[in-house]
Amino acid sequence: TQLLEQSPQFLSIQEGENLTVYCNSSSVFSSLQWYRQEPGEGPVLLVTVVTGGEVKKLKRLTFQFGDARKDSSLHITAAQPGDTGLYLCAGIHGSGNTGKLIFGQGTTLQVKP
Amino acid sequence: KAGVTQTPRYLIKTRGQQVTLSCSPISGHRSVSWYQQTPGQGLQFLFEYFSETQRNKGNFPGRFSGRQFSNSRSEMNVSTLELGDSALYLCASSLAAGNEQFFGPGTRLTVL
């Protein structure tokens, strides 16, 4: 059973479309992180959300942390082919410095020109 | 500032062999974590080291082990390789647990 469930798992859209990726859990997380991974590379951190209800924007990307800190979403406006990649949400499970970073299964996004 | 480096980048082994992978963290980072990434299971946490001590461990069999040296470089070892160990093994470093993690490019292990 995945602690963090991401949906959808695959998404193929046309350039210019909007999309939303969801990351859900039954557990409360002190923070959630979103990463993007391109083929042949390791994941790169996009953002960390910490406060329930928090919204962060990174150019055309909008990240939201649920009020109860159990879920998060990533919305991309006017997707570009350069947005293609694997999007991963992750949260620290456990307390303090001994928590381990748990990842969702990931959402593979393909943006066609 | 140099990023996280992992060697080798690609490795092919046969069942029953053992393998050692290496990770050099970003200078000044003392926490090193290892992950296994497969299409079916996604990114799974293996273990985390801080100042040469294993602080956390994932749900992997004892065939998976690791260590960290005084210069923060880390190695992970997999003994008695199985076909299912074929995966991308990622190393990430951070100043401390819970801080932003910086990932290396990974080592692609194929077990035949």
Side-chain angles (χ1 to χ4, degrees), chain A:
Chain A
T1 309
Q2 285 287 124
L3 203 58
L4 282 169
E5 297 281 349
Q6 274 187 251
S7 61
Q9 288 191 34
F10 302 97
L11 202 50
S12 181
I13 61 172
Q14 293 294 135
E15 181 177 0
E17 291 184 14
N18 302 332
L19 68 117
T20 302
V21 176
Y22 299 93
C23 177
N24 295 299
S25 177
S26 56
S27 300
V28 175
F29 286 89
S30 56
S31 66
L32 277 180
Q33 303 173 354
W34 284 93
Y35 290 80
R36 189 175 94 184
Q37 184 177 18
E38 297 187 30
E41 299 179 12
V44 175
L45 181 68
L46 295 173
V47 78
T48 300
V49 285
V50 178
T51 307
E54 180 178 7
V55 176
K56 280 192 174 178
K57 292 196 173 189
L58 189 66
K59 297 183 182 177
R60 293 175 294 98
L61 278 60
T62 301
F63 304 85
Q64 185 160 8
F65 201 13
D67 291 340
R69 292 185 290 131
K70 292 183 179 181
D71 55 85
S72 182
S73 64
L74 157 60
H75 182 79
I76 302 180
T77 304
Q80 304 293 311
D83 295 327
T84 293
L86 176 66
Y87 289 82
L88 297 151
C89 68
I92 299 282
H93 186 62
S95 57
N97 291 332
T98 58
K100 33 185 178 178
L101 193 62
I102 304 296
F103 283 84
Q105 288 281 64
T107 295
T108 300
L109 171 64
Q110 181 189 43
V111 182
K112 293 178 279 191

